[in-house]
Amino acid sequence: MMKDTLDYIETFTDGFKPEIGIVLGSGLGELADKYCEFAIPYEKIPGFSKSTIEGHKGQLVFATIGNRRVVMMQGRIHYYEGHSMQEITYPIKVMKKLGVEKVILTNAAGAVNKSYRPGDIMVITDHINMMGANPLVGVNDETLGVRFPDMSEIYNKNLIKIVDAAGRILKIDLKHGVYIASSGPSYETPAEIKMARYAGADAAGMSTVPEAIVANYCGMKVIGLSCITNYAAGISTKKLSHDEVIETANKVKTKFMDLVLLVLKNI
Ligand code: HPA
């Protein structure tokens, strides 16, 4: 399967070797539109599952940004769409095989930390996996990583320093926090968000954790960035909706893109 995938991608890349992988979350796909040199729709790539969610395009985009060669997932594949953990993290393994050394994982998330506001950007320092599944379950591929991989520093501390420096230059008040992932697709209940807060989480979402686990397992360095799009359940009286998530992500996307672009320059 991996060979078929790589052979197919190779027919487009013509020797282009990406060094950085970026997964663009809800409403954040514009970076790919702006810099796209060539793109391959997921449905054409052997082994890839199709993303079905509005606000997610579903293509692999290759670009040179500044002097960095980048491969972007414009739209990720989610667990809640019914794909397995192995399926949704397959593109991360493909990135590794393409030569990617660092990945930037982005997402939209709800504020669990009451001091956060919609529109904030949170640098993920660690995560809590409440999805009820792990993407590494199954026979281990020793060419990618070990059976029992260490996860004590998934989000690379040196890269976090680089993100912070970029935030200072751009005068963005970056938050640092713990991301908690549940499977979705329903949003959390107020009781679940309260539990998450007691457990030490700052933002809640339905993605990123599987990709981060697999990237770290494969020996890639990870940056995680959450766009805080809403207060998580129970914090405000407002009901949660995907429209609100997309609306806030759209408002933040320029700031978010500026940050990613400056980080790209410096990593
Ligand atoms: N919960 C889970 N996922 C999310 C949220 C949320 O509040 N906002 C955006 N994605």
Side-chain angles (χ1 to χ4, degrees), residues 182 184-189 192 206 230 233 240-245:
S182 55
S186 52
Y187 290 111
E188 303 77 13
T189 63
E192 286 162 353
M206 307 172 190
N230 58 283
L240 273 63
S241 77
H242 187 56
D243 288 346
E244 186 195 1
V245 169

Side-chain angles (χ1 to χ4, degrees), residues 21-261:
I22 309 179
V23 179
L24 297 165
S26 304
L28 305 168
E30 205 171 284
L31 194 73
D33 286 331
K34 224 171 152 176
Y35 290 92
C36 178
E37 280 163 36
F38 56 96
I40 319 173
Y42 296 156
E43 69 248 34
K44 290 204 175 152
I45 308 175
F48 269 53
S49 311
K50 196 176 172 328
S51 169
T52 56
I53 306 309
E54 202 189 321
H56 290 261
K57 236 181 195 167
Q59 54 183 10
L60 208 53
V61 173
F62 293 79
T64 305
I65 303 179
N67 57 352
R68 315 314 298 268
R69 292 182 309 278
V70 177
V71 57
M72 287 176 266
M73 286 189 75
Q74 190 174 23
R76 60 155 54 79
I77 303 152
H78 295 88
Y79 188 50
Y80 60 69
E81 292 174 81
H83 308 295
S84 70
M85 280 278 163
Q86 287 75 16
E87 283 164 345
I88 65 168
T89 54
Y90 184 67
I92 301 295
K93 294 178 186 168
V94 171
M95 284 182 177
K96 171 72 183 180
K97 295 283 187 187
L98 290 172
V100 167
E101 289 164 4
K102 300 182 184 100
V103 290
I104 304 176
L105 306 175
T106 70
N107 61 51
V112 172
N113 185 321
K114 289 182 178 172
S115 75
Y116 291 3
R117 300 280 169 269
D120 282 346
I121 296 174
M122 184 186 91
V123 184
I124 304 177
T125 55
D126 203 350
H127 76 221
I128 300 172
N129 181 9
M130 289 287 281
M131 295 180 100
N134 188 297
L136 301 177
V137 168
V139 176
N140 185 49
D141 179 351
E142 291 289 330
T143 68
L144 286 171
V146 297
R147 173 76 291 189
F148 301 108
D150 171 68
M151 293 284 148
S152 47
E153 192 191 322
I154 297 182
Y155 304 90
N156 185 269
K157 287 203 168 77
N158 289 326
L159 293 183
I160 290 175
K161 282 187 194 153
I162 291 170
V163 177
D164 285 343
R168 280 195 297 275
I169 290 168
L170 296 169
K171 299 196 164 38
I172 302 171
D173 177 27
L174 292 175
K175 312 293 180 193
H176 274 201
V178 173
Y179 176 88
I180 189 165
S182 55
S183 73
S186 52
Y187 290 111
E188 303 77 13
T189 63
E192 286 162 353
I193 291 301
K194 194 170 172 186
M195 182 189 79
R197 193 177 304 115
Y198 282 131
D202 298 288
M206 307 172 190
S207 68
T208 305
V209 159
E211 293 115 304
I213 291 172
V214 170
N216 184 57
Y217 152 80
C218 291
M220 294 191 281
K221 291 186 174 141
V222 179
I223 292 175
L225 298 173
S226 290
C227 169
I228 304 297
T229 51
N230 58 283
Y231 292 106
I235 296 183
S236 89
T237 52
K238 215 166 138 190
K239 287 204 168 159
L240 273 63
S241 77
H242 187 56
D243 288 346
E244 186 195 1
V245 169
I246 296 297
E247 196 183 311
T248 314
N250 273 325
K251 280 188 201 148
V252 182
K253 71 184 175 196
T254 310
K255 177 168 83 165
F256 206 89
M257 275 199 301
D258 288 348
L259 180 67
V260 172
L261 289 173

